[in-house]
Amino acid sequence: MRRVRSTPRPDWPARIEAQGLAFHKTAHPENLSRPYWDESVHYVFEMDEVLALEEVVEELHRMCLEVVDHVVTTGRYHVLGIPDRVAPLIEESWRRRDPHLYGRFDLWYDGTGPAKLLEYNADTPTSLVESSIVQWYWLQDVFPGDDQWNSIHERLVDRWKQIAPGLAKGPVHFAWTNGDETGEEVMTIAYIQETAQEAGLPGVALAMEDIGWDPVGRRFVDLDDNEIRTLCKLYPWEWIVAEPFGEHVPATTAWIEPIWKMVLSNKALLVLLWELFPGHPNLLPAYLNTPSDLTSYVQKPLLGREGANMRIVTPDGTEHRTEGRYGREGFVFQEFCPLPDFDGQRPVLGAWVVHDESAGLGIRETAGLITDDTSSFVPHRIPL
């Protein structure tokens, strides 16, 4: 793994916007000197390196599924702060094996030592358009003879084909929230809808705020009063179950992602992984609401997003904090493993899984210790 310079395509903004990355300006602070999509640099991996990382990702995913089974079997929902009333829904969903679509592992990796899991974005992962589509077209334009760790699109289409026979008749509804003013979420869910349509599943787009509840028919409906039989949403489960209509979730609607992913979209997952697989080479020690014996650590809110409300204590005792609105649900304390330094930038590898298989890679990097909304996305390639 190495970081190299490259010459941006003269018309790169128009190209990436045409490919669906229309939010690269609105989702990134304007006062930064560096764009969100930055093709002036990229990372180069060797094929054997990628194959090894794929094995790590699939092993981590299998371990995460074991955590879900452990929580359902033991009833340890309190570790994750999941309300008692939600637990039976998770259990029923898990035992039905409600189908799941995709997720993204955030990994520490420096090109030499074993990759380390930082967190798992299992319910509403973003940076999908840039990982699947935009960097692939960059590769075709700039390094057409090389390869890329990227089968995300094909695997999403194939997964929809696998899921389709078990879905109720009628279109799949695809929902985002109007609360996102950047446009990132609507473009992400629109892309997921495209992959479903390519698999032969018709879709209807709507905002979560426009979903209605029919108390007579006991069903969720869209703006045309049509029943929502299958809902693919880019909206966190913890928000859904906390809202008034959340009490109706046992209705006939099939949800993608399923509610059992509440176990995986919570950073207490890191605590349970370390408990079930202590000393695993791809994990960092993690504890709930206490640093335990850690002398340097990252304090993360269980349901935090985009690096908000984090606190880092470095080995020399220096503290770094970010602001935000998370933390009431509790914190995880994870061993501090500083992101590797490549030319003054620190990358996080976003490794994608579709269903249960490794599917691709997206990289975000920052000059600081925390990857947040100021971080840039950079492409990668594999020389052939």
Side-chain angles (χ1 to χ4, degrees), residues 72 77 81-93 237-238 240-243 246-247 249-250 259-263:
V72 169
Y77 298 97
I82 293 176
D84 291 340
R85 62 183 176 81
V86 179
L89 304 180
I90 293 175
E91 292 172 5
E92 293 165 8
S93 176
W237 267 111
E238 63 265 22
I240 292 173
V241 299
E243 294 180 2
E247 65 184 66
V249 167
I259 195 169
W260 61 258
K261 276 211 166 180
M262 280 190 76
V263 176

Side-chain angles (χ1 to χ4, degrees), residues 99-146:
H100 59 290
L101 185 63
Y102 72 131
R104 191 192 77 235
F105 287 99
D106 285 348
L107 304 175
W108 177 100
Y109 182 66
D110 67 354
T112 57
K116 302 286 187 179
L117 175 62
L118 300 175
E119 57 187 68
Y120 187 19
N121 301 276
D123 185 21
T124 57
T126 52
S127 77
L128 182 63
V129 175
E130 45 270 58
S131 297
S132 178
I133 298 297
V134 179
Q135 69 169 341
W136 177 255
Y137 281 111
W138 166 86
L139 181 76
Q140 301 310 303
D141 289 343
V142 183
F143 296 98
D146 286 354

Side-chain angles (χ1 to χ4, degrees), residues 118-119 267 297-301 304-313 319-324 326 331-332 334 369-372:
L118 300 175
E119 57 187 68
K267 292 182 181 61
Y297 51 83
V298 183
Q299 179 181 338
K300 304 178 178 181
R305 295 172 177 275
E306 287 286 353
N309 297 104
M310 290 177 63
R311 173 174 166 250
I312 294 178
V313 177
E319 290 195 13
H320 304 264
R321 294 176 180 265
T322 59
E323 300 299 321
Y326 303 99
F331 291 89
V332 163
Q334 184 183 50
L369 296 178
I370 299 172
T371 305
D372 56 18

Side-chain angles (χ1 to χ4, degrees), residues 202-217:
V204 174
L206 81 165
M208 289 292 295
E209 292 82 358
D210 290 332
I211 294 176
W213 173 251
D214 173 6
V216 177

Side-chain angles (χ1 to χ4, degrees), residues 94 134 149 165:
W94 176 246
V134 179
W149 181 6

Side-chain angles (χ1 to χ4, degrees), residues 10-279:
D11 58 346
W12 69 264
R15 285 178 180 265
I16 69 172
E17 288 168 15
Q19 292 155 7
L21 199 61
F23 53 84
H24 72 100
K25 296 177 181 177
T26 57
H28 198 54
E30 296 180 356
N31 61 329
L32 300 180
S33 59
R34 187 180 184 193
Y36 172 67
W37 168 267
D38 188 353
E39 60 183 64
S40 68
V41 294
H42 65 275
Y43 284 83
V44 180
F45 294 82
E46 298 303 321
M47 183 62 76
D48 59 349
E49 190 176 20
V50 169
L51 294 175
L53 285 168
E54 285 185 326
E55 291 183 4
V56 168
V57 168
E58 293 186 359
E59 181 176 4
L60 287 170
H61 180 68
R62 287 192 296 270
M63 291 159 59
C64 287
L65 295 182
E66 288 191 40
V67 169
V68 180
D69 198 62
H70 168 76
V71 170
V72 169
T73 301
T74 63
R76 297 181 66 196
Y77 298 97
H78 64 280
V79 175
L80 302 121
I82 293 176
D84 291 340
R85 62 183 176 81
V86 179
L89 304 180
I90 293 175
E91 292 172 5
E92 293 165 8
S93 176
W94 176 246
R95 289 172 177 149
R96 284 194 306 263
R97 292 300 188 264
D98 288 347
H100 59 290
L101 185 63
Y102 72 131
R104 191 192 77 235
F105 287 99
D106 285 348
L107 304 175
W108 177 100
Y109 182 66
D110 67 354
T112 57
K116 302 286 187 179
L117 175 62
L118 300 175
E119 57 187 68
Y120 187 19
N121 301 276
D123 185 21
T124 57
T126 52
S127 77
L128 182 63
V129 175
E130 45 270 58
S131 297
S132 178
I133 298 297
V134 179
Q135 69 169 341
W136 177 255
Y137 281 111
W138 166 86
L139 181 76
Q140 301 310 303
D141 289 343
V142 183
F143 296 98
D146 286 354
D147 201 356
Q148 193 173 81
W149 181 6
N150 189 358
S151 59
I152 300 170
H153 184 87
E154 296 81 2
R155 290 183 183 274
L156 284 172
V157 173
D158 288 344
R159 181 56 179 155
W160 279 116
K161 291 178 180 178
Q162 294 170 357
I163 292 174
L167 300 180
K169 291 183 179 180
V172 177
H173 286 74
F174 293 84
W176 71 98
T177 173
N178 284 328
D180 173 43
E181 298 178 353
T182 67
E184 179 179 15
E185 293 189 7
V186 68
M187 293 304 296
T188 301
I189 201 69
Y191 170 63
I192 296 174
Q193 182 176 343
E194 286 181 11
T195 63
Q197 289 175 332
E198 191 171 326
L201 286 169
V204 174
L206 81 165
M208 289 292 295
E209 292 82 358
D210 290 332
I211 294 176
W213 173 251
D214 173 6
V216 177
R218 297 198 59 78
R219 58 181 191 160
F220 290 110
V221 295
D222 62 19
L223 290 172
D224 295 322
D225 205 33
N226 295 316
E227 182 177 0
I228 299 174
R229 294 185 172 90
T230 303
L231 179 66
C232 180
K233 86 292 185 295
L234 202 67
Y235 195 75
W237 267 111
E238 63 265 22
W239 295 1
I240 292 173
V241 299
E243 294 180 2
F245 78 86
E247 65 184 66
H248 304 305
V249 167
T252 55
T253 301
W255 299 76
I256 300 172
E257 296 294 318
I259 195 169
W260 61 258
K261 276 211 166 180
M262 280 190 76
V263 176
L264 302 183
S265 61
N266 184 307
K267 292 182 181 61
L269 167 70
L270 303 171
V271 175
L272 293 172
L273 281 169
W274 186 249
E275 178 183 318
L276 296 181
F277 306 97

